[in-house]
Structure formats: C-alpha cells, structure tokens
C-alpha cells in the first residue's frame, strides 16, 4: 500500500540550530497516528513541513507515492492535507463560515464576485463538528473551544487525505474532546489518515494505534498506543523515568497535611460578576494551598479566576489578602498587592510577539531590577537567566524572539513571568497548556515550593487530570454558583467530571437552592 | 479522558433569545465603523440647513459635490491599503505626478487618453509600492514616503517653468460640466466609490483584503497569497490616487506639482473619521464616504460663515479625535470581554 503521506530524510534548521534531523515518517490511508515528544522536540516543525508552512532544508515529501514540492500552505491543501495548527489562527472579524472557506470561496463570473450564502461543503464541515447553528457568528463571539472547533472545521474542509492535529485538545473541555474523537473516528472510516500531536498521553489509546516518538529533532521510535505512559515518557526524555510521578504525588500529599493548620491567605466575599458569569461566591485560599476552580465553560470558573486576578470587573464583593482588602481593579494593582496572574490564551493574552525571551520573563518584575526608573542591564539579565533556568525554558539563547520558541517553551516563559513578581498568590488559567509531561512536573514542583513558603496557588484548568494531581482542594462551579467542594482525598477525574455537570449525588441539594 | 456525551448544549430558544438579538442588532449598529461619521454628517447638515439659508441652494450643493469629489476618490484608495494593514504616504506625490503628466499629454492627444496615461502610471507606481511592501517586506511607511518624495521631485522638474496649462478647453470640462443638476466630477467620484464598495463587499479580493488585515499569518496559512493581496491593494490605491490627481488637475485647469500634500492630509482625516482602524482591518467604504462628505460640508460651512479656510484643518483635526473617542469608548466599557 502506498503511504498517504511520507517524508524522507527531512532536515530543517533555524539560524543554525537543528529542529529536524534526517526525519523519516510515513502514514497510511485511514491510519491514525499519535506523535509525541518533549517541548521543542520538533513536532510542530515536522507538521509545518508536511503542511507547506515551512520548506525543509533537505529531504523529500511524497503524497500518494508522488514526490511533491510544497512551497506554501495552499499547495498542501490542494493535495488534501488539512491542518489544525497549535496556535489557533482565525481571522477575528470574520464569521465561522467565512473562516472555514477562507481562501477557497466559491465565486461567480470571471471577476470573482462571491456567491451569496455558505457553500454546502462549508456547511457540511461545520455540521461535522457540531457548529452548524453558529455558522454566522463572528469569531469574537465564540468561546475558545468553539474557535478550536472552527479551526478543525477548516482543516476538514481540505483534509481529505491527511488531517493533522497539533495539540487540538489544549483548549477543549471533556465534552468537546469526546466530540472531537467521534469526528476523528468518522473521518478514519472514510479513509482519511490522522496525525495527532498531544501532550495528554492518556488520550492516545483512544485516538491512535501507533505512536511515533520524537526527541531533539529526531524520530526515536514507534510504539503501539497500548504502551505504558511511564515507558513513553521515558522514551521521550531519553532516560528511564522511575516512578517520578508517584514521588511527586506523595510529596504533595505530605505538604497538604501540614497546610491544614495554616491560616486563610486570600479570601473572597460575596463575589458577583459584572456580567453575571458568577454570583455571590465566597471562597478562601489558605496559605500553602493549591486550590482549583473547575466547571464547564459557562460555569463561571474561568471568569472567577480572572476576577480574582483583577482581569475582570466585579459588581460587588470584597477580596482580602492576609485580612487586608486588596485592590483588584486591574491586573496591575493586583500584582502590586501580591497577586500575579497567568492568563489562559497564550497567543491572545500572553505572548508579546516582538519581545525577546529575556524581556518576556522579566516584564512584570522590572521594578526588581531597576533604580530611579532605569533598568539595570546586568541585574535584568541575571534575573532573566535565573527564571529561565528555574522554569526549564529551553531556548538556544535568551535574546531570541519569544515566538521562535516551541509552544510549550513559550508557556514555560510566561509561567516564569508570573513567578517573577514574587507573588503571595499565583492565579492561573491552564498553567501548563502545551507543556510536556516532564516540564509539567517541573512547573508543579515550582508551585509546590511557593506553597511550602506559605504562598498559595489558585487555578482553573480544563485538564481534569491536572486538577486531580495538582490541587489540594477543588471548588466546582455550575452556572455561576459554587456547587461542590472536593477535598484532596475525594479528588478524582470521575468525581470532578460529575461535579461539573452538577451530578454529584450528595450535593444535589446544595446546587438547587 | 472520554465521555459519552455527544450532544452539545443546544441554544435556548424563546423570547429571551429574541430580545438579546434585538439589542445585539442595535449594538452592532452603534459599533459599526461608519456610525459616528453618519451621525456627524446628519447633525452638521441639519445645523447648516437651519442656520445658513444659503446651504441648501442648488449651486451651493453643487459646490459641495465638486469640492468633495477629489477627497472621496483619494480616501477610498487609501482605505484599501489601510485595510491590508499598510499605509500609503506616496499618494500626495502621485496626485502631483498625475496632474502634471495629464496636463503634459493633454495637448498631444485626446484629454481622455492623457487622463488614462496618468492613471495607468500611478497604478504602475502602486505596483512598485506593493512589490516592495508585499514581496520584499519593506516597511510600508518608509517605502511609500520615499516613493512619494521621488514623484514630487519628478513633478517639480517637469514643471520647472511653472504649472502646465493645457490649451484644450475640455481639460477642465470634467470639473465644470453638469449632468442634469449634478456635477460630472461628482458622478465620476461616486462611480469610483461604487466600484470600491463592490470590490470590498462582494468580490473575493475584498474578502482577502479584510483577511490579510485581520490576521496576516492566519490568512497565509489558509492558503491565501498575502503578497498578491497586498500588491492588489496598492495598485488599487494607486489607481484611485491617480484618478484623484486627474480630477484635482481638471479643477484647477493645469498640471501643478504643488497639488497633493493638502489632499493627502484631508483624505487621511476622512478615512479615520469614517471609522477605519489603523492596522486593525476594520472599516468600509460607506464610513469613508460619510467621513469625506462630513469634511466637505465642514469646508462649505466655513465658506458660508466667511471664516478663513484654514480653519478647516483645525476643525477636522478635532473631529477625528472626537470620532476616535466615540469608537474607543464603547470598547473601553466592555474591555473585560475581549
Ligand atoms: N520560527 C522559528 N525560529 C527559530 N527557531 C524555531 C522556530 N520554530 C521553531 N524553532 C525551534 O525549533 C525547535 C523545535 O520546535 P517545535 O515547535 O517543532 O517543537 P514542538 O515539538 O512542537 O514543541 P511543543 O511541544 O512545545 O509545541 C525548538 O527548539 C524551537 O525553538
Ligand atoms: Mg509544537
């Protein structure tokens, strides 16, 4: 059988730093393949080469046995290769339908006047992902998850031969992930090959039969998806990782035990959102505690997180830090008060594209390295170096633009920026989105260290496994109200999931008052 | 982590939904880029109609039409480059160049042919701008400023002995003649506006112009040749700038290298007044038309009150700031949303 798509001996370097080294890769029609590797391993680069967004320095690409030269994304699309890129690239002012058919609109007459209405194939692609009723909504009006579905619909529009997903579930909730997997199954039975990149290793057995592992620009192996996660992580890291995860969990448990006795650090009273995303919420974060806020997209969990960090206005309510009222009118005043914030949408709210890695990590903490308004170069560099090292940001140089880093490493840099202000309370949304399992452990350790010092962490995450492993306590929101509190020993993905739907039996009464 | 739920939450039907969409429609209207220019125009027009008996007289309205024509055509051209996230500072030079070129050829051939040469030359210059910006990826501000300098220099050299006065009577005919009660030059300007509107709202190129301005990388990944779209935008801008130069030249009846800078400033004012964003991919032809007409009416009001015409700059400058304030404020009030 000829491979749907094959690359042979592909090499690609950026400014002399190799991102792909002699990579061979092939995928058969109807096959679903997982692709994993640490941050910076070269996964996105390989995908960019296959989808025509980057040209390899050496090597060949074959589509259906024919050697092809993909000079721009359109060349790949015309050959039936559709891609959902790691960053969600949509045109803001356009509707869902316009985004799906962008670049391939149907026109009438030779002067290329657009036809009215959506084409059947646009409509079909949107229905495939369950977005048919929102075809006319503009991107601004869509949730992060819906935007992701639009991006998937656009890839479907072209991806008849090969459909590539680069971490598609990073912004999705379990419902949508389930939906996505159904979509993938249906496509496969129609003969489309699927290439699926993820850091959520638990998804792989559901999606793929075989997994390709990359490390430092090379393909280092192929394994059945039934492989144990620990073994896979070891292969990605290039070493035997011995029960690392278990150690970390016990560490955290031990810390929890001691935090029980500690005092309230951050207290919110009667918190009510200006736009009605949540109402009358009381919550307490104790010193040394990691508290999670979970819920479906319309639950208000994310909005509550933002409000506590000053990124969203409250209609009423008070926020106290250490017993004192703290000004959270803006993120800036919150930072000054000791609350720092890592926003959820990396591309929209995190990365400042034209700044260097060093400038990114010290941006919020310049007061620590300046005197009389002047930044002192040497201290600034030293702080940047320290933060980059602590958070494990892999960058060839810290003067590179932040956008030259792999997605996961950009996230680590933003994480570093959040820690740089030495906050009392760290507030974050999806703190490890796109970070590989090893890097995630390192970031969890940093949060653990902060808690050991008596600081606290408050976060919301769409990744329930992360909530279950990382947090000491979780508050579940449902339609803007607090409906459940789960203590450390009650935390499990299954319980969190039922909680999100307000389906925890013993809590029914609490939710319906 | 999979769940066996494959039904996405349905949108709630019912009255609540209707009310929301009605309010939404009102909000969409207020937030539309052209809304405030429209309000300005209506308020100003109503004020002058009441306060100045001369305003509504036929010959005065014809005057407004003549005065606004050049501005309309040039503003619509600038709109295209702003929408792709660029800028064109060479349009001032193009106007000078087109006027001198048209006047230069007007005595050697038919006036229409001379006009066509001038417009075609400006389109070619637009193509150069587009290549430098879209393909070579030079900074649009620098490139177009430089090109504008060169053009102004050429126009000055060609008119070293003073402005060129074509002997052919029909050279200024375009500006002075009427079709029924309407000045021919205004009809020509409206034709340009309609063409631009159709391109932007109905043609595929228009869709791509907005896409490139909205998010260039996204457009490129979607398979659009962003370089080609940019070149097209600069060529169209050159075409309209050239035509605006021809119209301006016809109005004064000569080819004059000093034309241009004032027209360019006013056109940028009209475009921003019309709600076009700078590097945001936001704006449309209708807003620009309202912006240009507003400035035309202001100029006319200043004449009617017999004020020094230089007041026009001050008034339009202040209006732009007010217009931007109106655009930004609603967004500020909802800043948490984005
Ligand atoms: N445009 C670029 N300029 C310079 N270097 C780049 C560029 N894009 C990627 N790189 C480098 O190439 C390497 C591979 O990056 P790539 O994005 O392929 O990693 P990845 O496996 O997708 O990682 P992640 O899981 O974090 O998304 C990294 O070292 C990255 O810094
Ligand atoms: Mg990547």
């Amino acid at each position: 059988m000829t491979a749907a798509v094959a690359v042979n001996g592909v090499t690609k370097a950026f400014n002399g730093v190799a991102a792909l080294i002699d990579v061979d890769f092939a995928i058969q029609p109807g096959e679903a393949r997982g692709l994993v590797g640490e941050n910076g391993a070269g996964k996105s680069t390989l995908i960019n080469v296959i989808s025509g967004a980057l040209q390899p320095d050496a090597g060949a690409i074959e589509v259906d046995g024919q050697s092809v030269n993909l000079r721009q994304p359109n060349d790949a699309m015309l050959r039936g290769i559709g891609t959902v890129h790691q960053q969600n690239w949509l045109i803001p002012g356009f509707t869902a339908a316009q985004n799906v058919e962008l670049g391939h609109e149907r026109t009438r007459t030779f002067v290329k006047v657009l036809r009215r209405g959506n084409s059947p194939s646009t409509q079909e692609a949107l229905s495939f992902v369950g977005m048919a009723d929102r075809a006319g909504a503009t991107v601004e009006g869509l949730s992060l998850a819906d935007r992701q579905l639009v991006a998937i619909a656009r890839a479907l529009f072209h991806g008849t031969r090969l459909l590539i997903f680069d971490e598609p579930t990073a912004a999705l909730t379990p419902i949508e992930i389930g939906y996505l997997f159904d979509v993938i199954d249906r496509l496969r039975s129609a003969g489309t090959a699927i290439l699926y990149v993820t850091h959520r290793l638990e998804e792989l057995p559901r999606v793929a039969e075989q997994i390709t592992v990359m490390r430092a620009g090379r393909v280092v192996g192929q394994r059945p998806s039934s492989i144990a996660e620990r073994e896979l992580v070891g292969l990605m890291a290039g070493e035997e990782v011995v029960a690392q995860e278990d150690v970390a969990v016990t560490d955290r448990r031990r810390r929890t035990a001691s935090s029980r006795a500690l005092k309230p650090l951050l207290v919110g009273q009667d918190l009510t959102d200006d736009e009605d995303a949540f109402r009358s919420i009381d919550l307490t974060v104790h010193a040394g505690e990691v508290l999670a806020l979970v819920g479906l997209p319309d639950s208000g969990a994310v909005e509550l997180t933002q409000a506590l960090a000053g990124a969203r206005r409250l209609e009423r309510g008070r926020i106290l830090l250490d017993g004192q009222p703290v000004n959270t009118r803006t993120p800036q005043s919150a930072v000054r008060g000791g609350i720092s914030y890592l926003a959820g949408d990396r591309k929209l709210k995190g990365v400042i594209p034209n700044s260097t890695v060093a400038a990114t990590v010290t941006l919020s903490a310049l007061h620590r390295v300046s005197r009389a308004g002047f930044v002192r170069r040497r201290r600034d560099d030293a702080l940047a170096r320290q933060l980059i090292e602590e958070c494990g940001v892999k960058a060839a140089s810290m003067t590179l633009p932040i956008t030259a880093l792999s997605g996961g490493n950009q996230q680590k840099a933003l994480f570093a920026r959040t820690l740089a202000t030495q906050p009392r309370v760290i507030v974050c949304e999806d703190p490890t989105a796109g970070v590989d399992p090893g890097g995630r452990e390192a970031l969890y350790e940093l949060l653990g260290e902060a808690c050991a010092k008596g600081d606290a962490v408050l976060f919301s995450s769409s990744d329930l496994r992360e909530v279950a492993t990382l947090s000491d306590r979780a508050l579940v929101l449902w339609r803007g109200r607090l409906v459940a509190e789960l203590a450390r020993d009650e935390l499990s993905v299954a319980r969190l999931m039922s909680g999100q739907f307000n389906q925890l039996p013993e809590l029914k009464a609490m939710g319906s008052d | 982590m999979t769940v066996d739920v494959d039904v996405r939450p349905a949108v709630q039907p019912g009255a609540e939904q209707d009310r929301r969409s009605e309010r939404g429609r009102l909000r969409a209207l207020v937030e539309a880029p052209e809304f405030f220019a429209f309000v300005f125009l209506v308020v100003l027009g109503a004020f002058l109609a009441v306060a100045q008996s001369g305003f509504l007289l036929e010959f005065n309205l014809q005057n407004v039409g003549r005065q606004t024509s050049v501005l309309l055509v040039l503003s619509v051209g600038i709109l295209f480059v702003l929408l792709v996230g660029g800028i064109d500072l060479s349009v001032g030079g193009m106007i000078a160049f087109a006027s001198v070129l048209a006047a230069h050829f007007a005595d050697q051939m038919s006036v229409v042919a001379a006009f066509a040469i001038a417009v075609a030359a400006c389109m070619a210059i637009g193509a150069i701008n587009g290549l430098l910006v879209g393909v070579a990826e030079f900074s649009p501000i620098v490139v177009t400023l430089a090109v504008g300098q060169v053009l102004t220099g050429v126009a000055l050299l060609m008119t070293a002995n003073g402005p060129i006065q074509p002997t052919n009577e029909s050279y200024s005919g375009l500006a002075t003649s009427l079709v029924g009660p309407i000045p021919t030059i205004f009809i020509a300007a409206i034709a340009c506006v309609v063409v631009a509107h159709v391109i932007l709202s109905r043609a595929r190129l228009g869709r791509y112009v907005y896409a490139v301005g909205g998010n260039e990388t996204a457009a490129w990944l979607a398979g659009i040749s962003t370089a080609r779209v940019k070149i097209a935008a600069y060529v169209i801008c050159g075409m309209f700038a050239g035509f605006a130069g021809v119209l301006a030249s016809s109005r004064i009846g000569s080819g004059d290298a000093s034309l241009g800078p004032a027209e360019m400033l006013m056109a940028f004012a009209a475009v921003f007044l019309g709600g076009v964003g700078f590097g945001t991919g936001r704006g449309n032809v209708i807003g620009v038309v309202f912006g240009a007409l507003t400035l035309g009416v202001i100029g006319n009001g200043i004449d009617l009150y017999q004020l020094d015409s230089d007041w026009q700059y001050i008034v339009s400058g202040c209006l732009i700031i007010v217009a931007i304030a109106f655009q930004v404020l609603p967004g500020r009030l909802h800043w948490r949303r984005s």
Side-chain angles (χ1 to χ4, degrees), chain A residues 95-106:
Chain A
T95 64
Q98 286 172 342
N99 265 296
V100 168
E101 63 189 16
L102 184 62
H104 302 268
E105 292 84 354
R106 293 179 318 149

Side-chain angles (χ1 to χ4, degrees), chain B residues 185-266:
Chain B
I185 188 174
F186 190 66
I187 292 177
I190 292 302
C192 291
V193 165
V194 170
V195 168
H197 181 70
V198 169
I199 293 177
L200 282 180
S201 63
R202 302 274 289 116
R204 190 159 68 173
L205 174 63
R207 179 77 64 82
Y208 292 175
V209 163
Y210 282 107
V212 170
N215 188 334
E216 192 179 334
T217 314
W220 184 72
L221 285 174
I224 294 173
S225 166
T226 52
R228 251 189 262 167
V229 174
K230 284 188 191 172
I231 293 171
Y234 279 92
V235 169
I236 291 173
C237 179
M239 177 177 80
F240 284 127
F243 193 58
V246 165
L247 296 183
S249 180
S250 169
R251 286 201 70 204
I252 60 171
S254 66
D256 189 341
S258 69
L259 282 173
E263 282 77 6
M264 180 165 89
L265 280 184
M266 278 317 227

Side-chain angles (χ1 to χ4, degrees), chain A residues 44 86 166-167 407:
Chain A
S44 297
Q86 187 169 12
D166 197 352
E167 297 185 45

Side-chain angles (χ1 to χ4, degrees), chain A residues 14 19 38-45 86 167 199 404-409:
Chain A
F14 294 103
E38 290 192 326
N39 294 136
K43 305 180 295 296
S44 297
T45 308
Q86 187 169 12
E167 297 185 45
H199 287 300
L405 266 55
S406 74
N409 280 310

Side-chain angles (χ1 to χ4, degrees), chain B residues 13-270:
Chain B
E16 155 110 10
Q17 180 74 20
D18 284 344
R19 226 180 307 134
R20 209 184 298 153
S21 73
E22 194 141 303
R23 225 189 326 150
R25 232 175 288 145
L26 188 71
R27 203 168 123 185
L29 178 73
V30 172
E31 286 183 356
E34 66 271 21
F35 180 73
F36 283 103
F38 176 70
V39 171
F40 283 142
L41 183 61
V42 169
V43 169
L44 258 166
F47 172 76
L48 284 179
V50 173
Q52 282 287 339
S53 52
F55 178 68
L56 286 181
L57 293 179
E58 184 174 308
F59 82 88
N60 185 58
L61 290 180
Q62 286 170 348
N63 243 343
V64 175
R66 281 198 196 92
Q67 279 168 356
T68 322
S69 301
V70 175
L71 185 59
L72 272 173
V73 176
L74 186 58
S75 317
V76 161
I78 290 175
L79 172 66
F80 278 83
V81 288
L82 286 178
L83 285 181
V84 294
I87 192 169
D88 192 344
L89 298 179
S90 69
V91 293
M94 284 194 202
I95 285 188
F97 182 60
S99 84
V100 172
L101 210 59
H104 177 79
F105 284 116
D107 284 339
Q108 301 166 26
M109 56 185 78
S110 79
V111 169
V112 173
F115 286 174
I117 287 179
V119 172
C122 287
M123 288 174 80
I125 294 158
I128 295 173
N129 281 336
L131 284 168
L132 290 175
V133 171
V135 179
E137 301 190 347
F138 289 174
S139 150
I141 291 192
V142 180
V143 163
T144 57
L145 189 69
V147 169
Q149 295 268 49
V150 172
L151 291 177
T152 308
V154 172
L156 283 168
L157 284 176
M158 286 176 70
T159 55
N161 307 320
I164 304 172
Q165 310 259 2
T167 49
N168 194 334
E169 287 274 300
S170 58
Y171 194 79
S172 21
L174 182 58
T176 49
S177 65
L178 293 172
V179 177
I182 306 171
T184 316
I185 188 174
F186 190 66
I187 292 177
I190 292 302
C192 291
V193 165
V194 170
V195 168
H197 181 70
V198 169
I199 293 177
L200 282 180
S201 63
R202 302 274 289 116
R204 190 159 68 173
L205 174 63
R207 179 77 64 82
Y208 292 175
V209 163
Y210 282 107
V212 170
N215 188 334
E216 192 179 334
T217 314
W220 184 72
L221 285 174
I224 294 173
S225 166
T226 52
R228 251 189 262 167
V229 174
K230 284 188 191 172
I231 293 171
Y234 279 92
V235 169
I236 291 173
C237 179
M239 177 177 80
F240 284 127
F243 193 58
V246 165
L247 296 183
S249 180
S250 169
R251 286 201 70 204
I252 60 171
S254 66
D256 189 341
S258 69
L259 282 173
E263 282 77 6
M264 180 165 89
L265 280 184
M266 278 317 227
F268 273 104

